[in-house]
Amino acid sequence: ELERIPARLALVSIGYKAVAIPGMDTTFFSDEDQGRVRHEQGRIDAPTATEGGLYTSGWFKRGPSGIIGTNIPDARETVATVLQDLETSVAVNPDEPPLESLLKERCVDVVDWEAYQRIEMQETTQKRSEHQPREKV
């Protein structure tokens, strides 16, 4: 069964190796064996007049390597690209409620930048060993 959910942004983060889903254009992959996709600063496909863009981060972006901390620069680069595209995108419908309203309506807990920095501070100062980069909370 196929269900379409209207959204301006969808994020998927499952597994360690990206594989094509049925019907996916496999030319997106730069290295299918490693599960990496072609992208420019996290953008796989630019927004169009009717749809938002397609973006990537983490292992799907660079292949299965690194640690959680390695994903942060990937994510920052991708988020910067998404924000840049949102500023210039023709796909944004001004009649749709902003993402913040939708998240609040659905009772989604949002971690803003200040909260993320507090979490990062706790994780990096509460680690069990000097050899580990952080202790997840």
Side-chain angles (χ1 to χ4, degrees):
E1 179 180 338
L2 176 65
E3 180 181 357
R4 291 197 183 266
I5 302 171
R8 291 186 190 167
L9 178 65
L11 304 173
V12 179
S13 180
I14 301 171
Y16 102 95
K17 180 180 174 187
V19 294
I21 57 175
M24 180 181 175
D25 180 1
T26 57
T27 61
F28 279 131
F29 285 94
S30 62
D31 183 345
E32 196 169 359
D33 289 339
Q34 287 292 314
R36 286 191 297 258
V37 294
R38 295 181 195 285
H39 65 88
E40 287 185 33
Q41 297 173 312
R43 183 188 306 108
I44 297 172
D45 204 11
T48 67
T50 57
E51 296 181 336
L54 181 61
Y55 305 88
T56 184
S57 190
W59 287 0
F60 198 50
K61 184 176 178 180
R62 70 173 189 282
S65 65
I67 58 172
I68 291 170
T70 313
N71 290 324
I72 294 171
D74 280 353
R76 283 188 181 138
E77 178 184 64
T78 299
V79 167
T81 301
V82 170
L83 292 174
Q84 178 184 6
D85 286 354
L86 285 173
E87 287 177 9
T88 60
S89 176
V90 294
V92 176
N93 182 346
D95 297 328
E96 291 180 8
L99 178 60
E100 293 85 5
S101 299
L102 183 62
L103 294 173
K104 186 174 184 178
E105 175 186 312
R106 295 182 179 180
C107 300
V108 175
D109 291 327
V110 175
V111 177
D112 63 16
W113 182 246
E114 290 175 3
Y116 168 77
Q117 288 179 312
R118 289 192 304 272
I119 292 168
E120 183 174 32
M121 175 64 75
Q122 182 176 351
E123 288 181 349
T124 56
T125 59
Q126 302 297 317
K127 55 191 179 183
R128 292 172 286 164
S129 159
E130 286 301 313
H131 301 291
Q132 71 182 98
R134 64 181 58 241
E135 178 71 30
K136 297 302 292 175
V137 293

